[in-house]
Amino acid sequence: MMKLGILFSGGKDSTLALHRAAESHEIACLITVVSENPASFMFHTPNIDLTGLQAEALGVPLVRVTTKGEKETELADLQRAITAAKETYGIEGVVTGAVRSTYQAARVQRICHVLGLWCFNPLWLKDQVVLLREVVSEGYDVIISGVAAEGVSSLLGEKIVPKTVDVLERLAETARINPAGEGGEFESTVLDAPLFKKRIGLVRVKKEEEAHAGVLRIEEARLVEK
Amino acid sequence: MMLVISTCAEELSEREFVQPLSAIIPKSRIVHWSKVTQKDIAAASAIIISGTALADFAYLEGDWSWLKDCAAAVLGICAGAQVIAKVFGAELDKKTVIGVRPIQAVRENELVLEGASGYFLYTLEPKGNFDVLARSDGAPCVFRIPGKDVFGCTFHPEVLNPDIIRRFLAKKF
C-alpha cells in the first residue's frame, strides 16, 4: 500500500479517481492548485476554494498552492505543490482524474518522474458516458457548476442524475461535446461522495451567465452531517 | 482467444494500461505477467503485452523466455516492447520520452500508417537489430523481431492509435 496524493479540483473526475485509489492505497493528502488565470489549461475550475471544505468532509489534509496561471510558471507551481505534499505527507505517488487529455497527463507524468514519484491515472481512456453513469450509480452528489458550450448552458446548477447523463450523451452525438466535460464544456463540483464523512450543504449561490457560458458561484457552504 | 498480459505491479495501474486494451479487444483474457502459464500461451491466438507506470520496473525481472518459441503473434506495448527487446538480445538504453511525438513509418507496412502521432511514456528505449517499421525522433518506435510475428511498440497505441492494435489482431502486418 502506497501513500498517495490526489490532484484535486473538487470535481467529479478527481473525486472518482480518489475513490478508485482509496480501494488499494492510503490517501495521504489532496493537492490543489488555485489558478488566478481563468484561461489556464491545467487548473482553472470554478469553486476551487471549496476544496478546503471537501478535504474536511473527507477527513484528508489539503496542500494548496496558488499560481498566476501563466503557461510556464504554472507547471513549476504544480511541482512546488507536489513537492510540498511529498515533504509534508511522505507521498510515494500522485493520482490524477485525467481521462483523455495527453496535454495534462504528460505534464503530471514529467513532474512525477523528476520527483521520483509514481503517477496513477485510474480513469484514463475510460468511456465518458460510463464514467458519468458510475458517478450517478455510486451515489455521488454532483452539480454542474460551470458551462461553456451551446446546449450545455441550460444545465448550469443542475445535479448530475440519470436524466442529465442522457442529455449529455445526446449532446455528445448532436453537438459533438465531450460528455464528461473534459474539453471544458462544463465543470462539476462534488457535494457528497461515498468517502465523504459529511456532505456539503450550499447556503448561498449565485449564477453568473453570459451567452453560452456561465458559472454557479458558491458563495457560502457548510458541512452537514450525513 | 486473445490474451492480454499485464505488466503492472500495481493493480491501480491496470485501470490505466490494461483496461483500455480490454475496451479495444472486448473478448480478451487478462493475465498478470507473474501468473502466465504455458497453457495460457498455447491457447492464445494473439498476445498483447501491456505497458505500465513509468516508475514500475518489476516486469523486467520476469521470465519472458516463452517469447522465443511462442506460436501466437505478439505485440508488446512500451514495457511489453522492452521485454521483447530484452528476450531477443537487444539493449535498453536509459532515455526518457514523455508526451505526444510524431511517428514516421520507415517503409510501407500495414501496421503503421504515415503521418501519425503517438503518446510516449518510457524511461528505457530498446536498441537492437530489429526490423524497424516506424521511428520517432530517429529511434525505432515500432519494430518486428526478424522472422517472427513478434512486434514491439514503444508508444501507447491505445491512446491515439487504436487501429494499430486492431490491424495487429487482424494480422495485417
Side-chain angles (χ1 to χ4, degrees):
Chain A
M1 182 184 274
M2 284 189 213
K3 285 179 144 191
L4 301 178
I6 313 291
L7 285 190
F8 191 71
S9 68
K12 61 178 170 46
D13 295 343
S14 57
T15 309
L16 187 60
L18 178 154
H19 281 70
R20 296 293 177 261
E23 289 169 10
S24 51
H25 296 281
E26 178 190 340
I27 308 305
C29 65
L30 309 181
I31 303 164
T32 293
V33 179
V34 181
S35 178
E36 293 170 356
N37 176 8
S40 165
F41 282 110
M42 286 290 286
F43 307 119
H44 179 66
T45 181
N47 302 310
I48 191 76
D49 289 334
L50 201 68
T51 54
L53 206 58
Q54 291 167 316
E56 221 179 301
L58 281 158
V60 175
L62 174 69
V63 174
R64 187 180 188 275
V65 163
T66 302
T67 179
K68 289 196 185 311
E70 290 156 359
K71 200 172 181 182
E72 297 312 318
T73 57
E74 69 178 1
L75 289 173
D77 291 330
L78 174 61
Q79 185 162 331
R80 183 162 54 91
I82 296 174
T83 303
K86 185 181 177 186
E87 288 172 356
T88 310
Y89 298 104
I91 63 166
E92 299 157 274
V94 166
V95 178
T96 88
V99 181
R100 281 239 60 120
S101 170
T102 53
Y103 177 90
Q104 291 185 347
R107 278 153 182 77
V108 178
Q109 290 279 5
R110 281 191 202 110
I111 290 171
C112 288
H113 178 60
V114 167
L115 297 178
L117 295 170
W118 284 67
C119 184
F120 296 104
N121 299 284
L123 311 184
W124 190 237
L125 304 182
K126 195 168 180 64
D127 181 278
Q128 320 254 336
V129 173
V130 170
L131 187 155
L132 283 172
R133 295 207 188 281
E134 281 180 13
V135 163
V136 173
S137 68
E138 292 177 25
Y140 290 66
D141 184 3
V142 186
I143 53 166
I144 293 181
S145 52
V147 289
E150 195 175 350
V152 183
S153 53
S154 62
L155 296 175
L156 184 64
E158 296 285 319
K159 290 202 172 192
I160 297 184
V161 293
K163 194 178 149 195
T164 330
V165 180
D166 292 342
V167 171
L168 290 166
E169 189 174 15
R170 205 162 50 242
L171 284 169
E173 288 164 14
T174 57
R176 303 188 70 128
I177 68 150
N178 177 320
E182 209 192 21
E185 295 88 347
F186 69 92
E187 303 284 349
S188 63
T189 299
V190 176
L191 304 178
D192 194 12
L195 288 178
F196 277 36
K197 295 177 175 71
K198 294 181 179 178
R199 66 180 177 84
I200 291 170
L202 301 181
V203 177
R204 196 172 66 247
V205 298
K206 185 180 167 191
K207 267 190 188 179
E208 296 171 359
E209 294 174 276
E210 191 178 322
H212 297 297
V215 173
L216 185 79
R217 196 81 58 198
I218 298 173
E219 295 185 331
E220 191 182 344
R222 60 185 166 84
L223 293 180
V224 178
E225 296 296 333
K226 289 173 79 170
Chain B
M1 184 265 300
M2 313 284 187
L3 180 66
V4 175
I5 299 177
S6 163
T7 59
C8 302
E10 292 293 329
E11 213 176 308
L12 189 57
S13 296
E14 293 194 341
R15 291 182 175 274
E16 183 176 350
F17 297 101
V18 179
Q19 288 188 9
L21 297 173
S22 301
I24 297 168
I25 325 156
K27 289 180 182 167
S28 56
R29 178 163 177 259
I30 299 166
V31 180
H32 189 262
W33 67 262
S34 62
K35 293 176 181 164
V36 174
T37 64
Q38 285 295 338
K39 201 175 160 188
D40 294 324
I41 304 300
S45 55
I47 299 171
I48 292 184
I49 308 172
S50 80
T52 184
L54 211 53
D56 186 354
F57 299 101
Y59 58 91
L60 288 172
E61 304 305 317
D63 177 10
W64 296 92
S65 57
W66 55 265
L67 278 163
K68 286 187 176 169
D69 305 310
C70 183
V74 181
L75 173 64
I77 294 171
C78 195
Q82 292 168 18
V83 295
I84 287 169
K86 199 178 162 200
V87 163
F88 288 96
E91 299 286 318
L92 296 175
D93 281 359
K94 282 190 178 173
K95 185 181 171 188
T96 299
V97 181
I98 300 171
V100 176
R101 298 287 171 88
I103 51 178
Q104 196 71 40
V106 171
R107 58 176 173 75
E108 197 172 321
N109 69 91
E110 287 196 70
L111 206 55
V112 190
L113 305 179
E114 286 285 348
S117 294
Y119 183 62
F120 290 80
L121 191 62
Y122 67 73
T123 58
L124 294 171
E125 188 171 88
K127 189 181 172 188
N129 292 319
F130 311 123
D131 179 5
V132 177
L133 302 183
R135 289 182 184 275
S136 178
D137 287 342
C141 64
V142 181
F143 60 84
R144 183 176 194 160
I145 299 303
K148 293 187 175 286
D149 290 344
V150 177
F151 300 83
C153 179
T154 64
F155 57 91
H156 287 266
E158 71 275 19
V159 179
L160 299 174
N161 326 81
D163 282 346
I164 289 181
I165 295 171
R166 294 189 187 103
R167 287 195 289 271
F168 164 75
L169 294 174
K171 299 203 185 307
K172 290 184 176 174
F173 44 70

